[in-house]
Amino acid sequence: MITLKRRVLLGALVCTTFAAFPAYAADPIKIGVTGPYTGGSSAMGVSMRDAARLAAAEINKAGGVLGRPLLLVERDDEAKNEVGAQVAQELINKEKVAATIGFINTGVALAAQRFYQEAEIPVFNNVATGTIITNQFKEPDYDANYVFRNSAYDVLQAGMMVDEALARNFKKIALLADSTNYGQLGREDIEKYLATKGVKPVVVEKFNIKDVDMTAQLLKAQQAGADVILAYGIGPELAQIANGMAKLGWKVPMITSWPSSMQSFLDIAGANGNGVMMPQTFIEDQTLPKRKSFLENYYKTYGVSKIPTPVAGAQGYDSVYLLAAAIKQAGSTDGAKIRAALENLNERVEGVVTTYEKPFTAKDHNAITRNMVVFGKVQDGKIVYAKEEDAKNAGVVRVKEKSAN
């Protein structure tokens, strides 16, 4: 990883380049970028932000949008709901952003995005996955919804996790989830989906952020005869579950929500994380030219050999391109016009997660459908394809299913 000093200097250089691009006479289009750049969720936030910078720089080099450069206005929400709400108001009222991308944490999104809804400014969730996020302002209570997303929402992930466990003939499911909005909403989605299959978990346990000892929860699961663990949380705590199982000498499969792909999971769990599976929209392979270019550019620009949280980086990168396409189609930075363009994008947008064709409609503001998501697994400190067929089809572009929720 590059040093903090170098990262700060690089960030300042990149943002200055956006603002002072010499080929432009017109004022820049301000795009907010909000996420946790410090603290326990920072690997996700930094990956998203740094990839968004790359996308904006590429767009500006190619002529910008409507003849204007994109200027990313970055704010650290510290993964705190109250800070996220404050940042939203600052970006809207002081910075006058045309739109904002980001939101890593579900709780922060729910606390902050209402300000964008009230201001009729599009806000683009590119990492947060709480199912409610894009349903918070739907008809008939609201005439228009200004909240969009290009991450795999929780109902989708919950279904994949449960179906995988049942397909492997596991009968006794232990469900562990962190105590945040993210963890508890994910737990609810898993329990609801299990109920549709006529299955009830043998134990449901909660843990807190920064917990390092999961012995009590794991002993309850073990005593209940669990033959698989489904876990909903973020990297550090998911790693402690894997470490706790190793400490107990208890070996059962572990299927988690996507954040076990975070670098913090890999670092904390070490060899104990091997075999853990999770849904992923993006794995660091270079099978497609766009992915190859993106990864090479990211590694070179930031002096790293891998993205700290690849999913966050890829989705952050794609969200800038989707938003730029909408502004171009709208021919304006007016919020209502951008929203309308997003709901009926005419341009095929080539991203690194997929190529987006009509990713949104007026009633569906989620760009990702289940067919776009694969299972990754931890293998010796890296995330690889968990299934051979997905690895073989890594170069296949998966477009949105028409029957999306």
Side-chain angles (χ1 to χ4, degrees), residues 43-44 47 157 233-236 238 256-267 276-284 306-312 376-378 381-384:
M44 294 184 282
S47 298
Q157 292 188 65
I234 61 172
L238 293 176
T256 81
S257 51
W258 78 267
S260 58
S261 62
M262 291 172 60
Q263 188 64 43
S264 57
F265 178 92
L266 302 175
D267 290 343
V276 171
M277 294 177 61
M278 77 299 291
Q280 297 283 276
T281 59
F282 179 81
I283 289 175
E284 283 179 285
K306 71 181 299 295
I307 303 174
T309 307
V311 165
K377 72 174 180 180
V378 179
K382 295 182 180 180
I383 305 299
V384 300

Side-chain angles (χ1 to χ4, degrees), residues 39-336:
S41 296
S42 62
M44 294 184 282
V46 168
S47 298
M48 178 274 296
R49 179 199 65 194
D50 288 355
R53 288 175 176 176
L54 296 181
E58 291 168 4
I59 291 168
N60 286 344
K61 187 176 181 180
V65 181
L66 306 180
R68 299 165 63 183
L70 298 181
L71 171 61
L72 303 186
V73 184
E74 300 167 2
R75 292 292 184 272
D76 183 359
D77 63 32
E78 303 174 29
K80 296 177 180 177
N81 298 357
E82 66 278 11
V83 176
Q86 293 169 2
V87 164
Q89 294 174 79
E90 179 184 353
L91 290 173
I92 293 166
N93 299 320
K94 180 180 177 182
E95 298 295 342
K96 308 295 184 184
V97 296
T100 283
I101 62 170
F103 291 146
I104 306 301
N105 307 89
T106 293
V108 176
L110 295 176
Q113 64 187 20
R114 61 188 176 90
F115 296 103
Y116 293 97
Q117 178 70 23
E118 291 169 1
E120 298 186 346
I121 294 174
V123 60
F124 213 115
N125 287 266
N126 51 33
V127 179
T129 60
T131 302
I132 193 175
I133 283 173
T134 48
N135 296 328
Q136 198 174 12
F137 307 111
K138 294 189 74 172
E139 296 177 336
D141 296 324
Y142 296 86
D143 293 332
N145 182 4
Y146 283 81
V147 180
F148 294 83
R149 169 164 52 196
N150 67 315
S151 59
Y153 55 97
D154 287 345
V155 162
L156 187 158
Q157 292 188 65
M160 288 186 67
M161 292 166 65
V162 170
D163 284 346
E164 180 65 19
L166 298 180
R168 293 168 65 181
N169 207 33
F170 295 122
K171 304 293 187 183
K172 296 184 176 181
I173 295 173
L175 175 54
L176 278 62
D178 74 36
S179 58
T180 66
N181 283 331
Y182 167 69
Q184 292 305 299
L185 290 171
R187 173 193 58 76
E188 289 179 11
D189 286 335
I190 289 177
E191 289 195 273
K192 288 177 182 177
Y193 193 78
L194 280 170
T196 69
K197 302 294 183 178
V199 178
K200 185 176 181 179
V202 295
V203 66
V204 178
E205 286 293 311
K206 184 188 298 186
F207 55 88
N208 296 316
I209 297 296
K210 298 185 179 180
D211 280 358
V212 295
D213 186 357
M214 304 293 180
T215 304
Q217 294 94 328
L218 290 170
L219 282 173
K220 289 181 181 179
Q222 187 180 38
Q223 291 163 4
D227 54 12
V228 66
I229 289 179
L230 302 187
Y232 231 90
I234 61 172
E237 290 73 42
L238 293 176
Q240 298 299 351
I241 296 174
N243 289 342
M245 293 170 66
K247 183 180 177 181
L248 293 172
W250 185 38
K251 296 182 179 180
V252 296
M254 180 173 165
I255 304 171
T256 81
S257 51
W258 78 267
S260 58
S261 62
M262 291 172 60
Q263 188 64 43
S264 57
F265 178 92
L266 302 175
D267 290 343
I268 295 169
N272 296 332
N274 280 342
V276 171
M277 294 177 61
M278 77 299 291
Q280 297 283 276
T281 59
F282 179 81
I283 289 175
E284 283 179 285
D285 71 74
Q286 300 190 18
T287 51
L288 294 171
K290 183 78 171 182
R291 282 184 198 161
K292 185 175 188 295
S293 174
F294 164 66
L295 290 170
E296 289 177 348
N297 194 10
Y298 192 104
Y299 301 154
K300 181 179 179 180
T301 300
Y302 301 111
V304 296
S305 59
K306 71 181 299 295
I307 303 174
T309 307
V311 165
Q315 291 167 180
Y317 179 89
D318 285 2
S319 67
V320 177
Y321 272 96
L322 285 165
L323 189 55
I327 295 172
K328 177 183 175 183
Q329 181 173 313
S332 169
T333 57
D334 176 75

